[in-house]
Amino acid sequence: MRRTPRSGRLDQAQMRAANMGLILRQLQLHGGRSRAGLATETGLSKATTSSLIADLAERGLVREGEIHRAGSVGRPGLTVNLDGRRVAGLGLEISIDYVAVTAVDLTGNVIRESITPMDVPELAVEVVLDRVAGIAQRMLESLRSAGHIVVGFTVAPPGVIDYDAGIVRFAPNLGWRSVALAAGLSERIGPECPEIHLENDAKLAAVAEYGAYADSEVQDLVYLSGEVGVGAGIIAEGRLVRGWSGFSGEVGHLALGPSELECSCGRRGCWELVVGLHHFLRLAAPVGDVVHDSRRSMDDRLEILRERAASGDERTLEALAAIARDLIRGLSVLVDVLNPRRIVLGGYFAPFGEQLLAPVKSALDERRMDAGSEVVVAVSALGLSAASRGGALAALEAVFEDPTTVPAA
């Protein structure tokens, strides 16, 4: 509910900020525009549009570049483009096996990115917070020393979140309950820490993937995370679906596995027990194999298995065939319930698109009830940084909502 402004002056300031954000959003979604084009598309007057663009340019959020010729008589204008190279959003994912951190500028370009191996469930929560805060602090210092203004910070754990309190309510694969993650990191990083917001990892990965389709006909998308746990980020009609308590997308706990297998969530027969990363590694290689070495980065371990699959290694291919069969069962349910236009397989599924996509797509096509319900299945190109990149993009929303939070250059 919007508060009633205390004065006309405050209301004017709010309106100006909202209109500046409207121009930024138009440039984000549709690319460079002339001033006249922006005025027409936003419904603002030409004079107001010019004034707002000048303000945005002073803050380093837009720039005018090449000459725009609309084919009409008169002096051609300059194209206004989204800039924001001095602005950065920061995203950080805490996974079971690693911590990923990504910084992007206002146009979505990656400025910094790193992945640090970390056996999170084996460490005390306080130790994890200490190490994660150190990773974040080093990234913040690097960005600021390069002249970037960090406008927001989103942290992505794999679990159910209390958004208002900044608490991880339940993350079974980490062994966490009621962890005050936002406050714990903020205290450790210190007074220069941007405000921290939490969001589930699969949901943020869906945000990152959906960014590639924002100006297309794809409005309904499901991102399936292939981690130790398996979750779904759901985009419906262009909006991220959280559910009333933030619990949406916990598809890894659908009862699609053998009933005798106990899951870390306390249930039995969860889907992630037969399609999760640890199960795949056990199927693909014997104990003692290099791919079970947690000291190696997960990217390296998956690349070893990808090379084995490409060279025809029988055990790796049999493991992938088993994963594909169990993936199909769960994806068939998601397609029937959610009716997405596109499914994106992320996490460890992505490097094995050559082995997984064909059987999954064929099975979903066979189950299709009508010609118009075809779903496109693809693998993510973002790798293990999908959630951290989505977090960085989400952090930038503060600028689009109120560009005046960024000071003049």
Side-chain angles (χ1 to χ4, degrees):
M1 184 175 179
R2 184 180 176 182
R3 296 180 181 178
T4 303
R6 288 176 292 180
S7 70
R9 183 177 180 183
L10 181 59
D11 188 57
Q12 267 190 333
Q14 289 177 330
M15 183 63 70
R16 184 173 179 83
N19 286 335
M20 289 167 67
L22 182 62
I23 289 174
L24 282 187
R25 187 74 71 185
Q26 194 71 10
L27 294 174
Q28 179 198 35
L29 293 176
H30 304 296
R33 293 286 192 272
S34 67
R35 292 187 179 212
L38 283 169
T40 300
E41 292 164 3
T42 59
L44 301 170
S45 71
K46 290 183 178 179
T48 297
T49 300
S50 293
S51 173
L52 296 175
I53 289 171
D55 196 341
L56 290 168
E58 285 183 5
R59 299 173 192 275
L61 302 178
V62 302
R63 69 181 187 280
E64 291 185 298
E66 62 194 41
I67 294 175
H68 176 81
R69 299 182 185 276
S72 58
V73 176
R75 187 175 64 181
L78 296 176
T79 300
V80 181
N81 294 289
L82 199 64
D83 190 356
R85 286 169 290 180
R86 64 194 290 257
V87 169
L90 188 62
L92 184 147
E93 179 193 5
I94 302 172
S95 187
I96 286 86
D97 298 298
Y98 63 87
V99 173
V101 60
T102 303
V104 301
D105 67 18
L106 199 63
T107 65
N109 291 323
V110 175
I111 306 168
R112 304 271 195 286
E113 195 161 71
S114 69
I115 297 178
T116 304
M118 188 181 299
D119 192 352
V120 174
E122 293 300 313
L123 298 172
V125 171
E126 295 300 310
V127 174
V128 174
L129 293 180
D130 288 343
R131 294 186 183 182
V132 171
I135 292 169
Q137 195 160 31
R138 288 190 292 274
M139 179 66 80
L140 287 166
E141 289 171 356
S142 173
L143 291 168
R144 287 167 177 154
S145 66
H148 297 289
I149 299 170
V150 182
V151 295
F153 185 9
T154 312
V155 178
V160 182
I161 293 164
D162 182 331
Y163 294 99
D164 292 334
I167 291 173
V168 180
R169 288 162 47 193
F170 183 39
N173 288 310
L174 299 184
W176 286 8
R177 282 187 181 273
S178 301
V179 174
L181 183 56
L185 291 178
S186 182
E187 289 168 4
R188 286 165 170 81
I189 294 170
E192 297 301 312
C193 182
E195 184 177 1
I196 295 176
H197 296 277
L198 305 185
E199 183 57 272
N200 172 269
D201 58 344
K203 291 180 175 65
L204 285 176
V207 169
E209 291 290 345
Y210 182 66
Y213 307 105
D215 196 23
S216 73
E217 295 181 357
V218 176
Q219 295 289 300
D220 296 84
L221 176 149
V222 171
Y223 173 91
L224 191 71
S225 68
E227 310 285 349
V228 174
V230 174
I234 303 163
I235 304 289
E237 296 184 348
R239 295 179 179 273
L240 179 66
V241 176
R242 280 177 167 173
W244 75 269
S245 67
F247 205 77
S248 73
E250 293 294 329
V251 299
H253 302 291
L254 293 172
L256 296 172
S259 59
E260 68 272 14
L261 295 180
E262 186 174 354
C263 182
S264 59
C265 73
R267 300 175 181 175
R268 291 183 177 273
C270 290
W271 187 34
E272 67 182 38
L273 296 176
V274 291
V275 296
L277 174 59
H278 281 178
H279 181 65
F280 169 61
L281 293 177
R282 285 192 296 269
L283 291 177
V287 175
D289 190 280
V290 66
V291 302
H292 294 291
D293 185 355
S294 61
R295 293 169 297 180
R296 281 178 172 261
S297 74
M298 187 55 66
D299 275 334
D300 287 346
R301 294 151 72 187
L302 293 177
E303 178 59 21
I304 291 169
L305 287 171
R306 191 197 66 77
E307 290 175 355
R308 290 178 186 176
S311 65
D313 178 73
E314 186 175 349
R315 179 162 180 165
T316 307
L317 292 175
E318 287 178 354
L320 288 166
I323 294 297
R325 288 192 296 270
D326 284 308
L327 263 181
I328 288 163
R329 287 196 294 156
L331 289 176
S332 298
V333 173
L334 297 183
V335 167
D336 288 344
V337 173
L338 299 173
N339 188 30
R341 184 156 189 173
R342 183 172 291 261
I343 293 173
V344 180
L345 303 179
Y348 89 85
F349 301 133
F352 303 103
E354 185 176 344
Q355 292 79 26
L356 296 177
L357 285 182
V360 167
K361 185 67 168 65
S362 176
L364 293 180
D365 283 344
E366 287 177 8
R367 290 181 52 84
R368 195 167 64 199
M369 289 184 287
D370 68 272
S373 64
E374 180 181 11
V375 58
V376 175
V377 185
V379 294
S380 171
L382 300 180
L384 298 179
S385 64
S388 60
R389 192 172 302 190
L393 292 171
L396 292 173
E397 284 299 302
V399 178
F400 290 99
E401 291 172 5
D402 185 359
T404 63
T405 57
V406 179

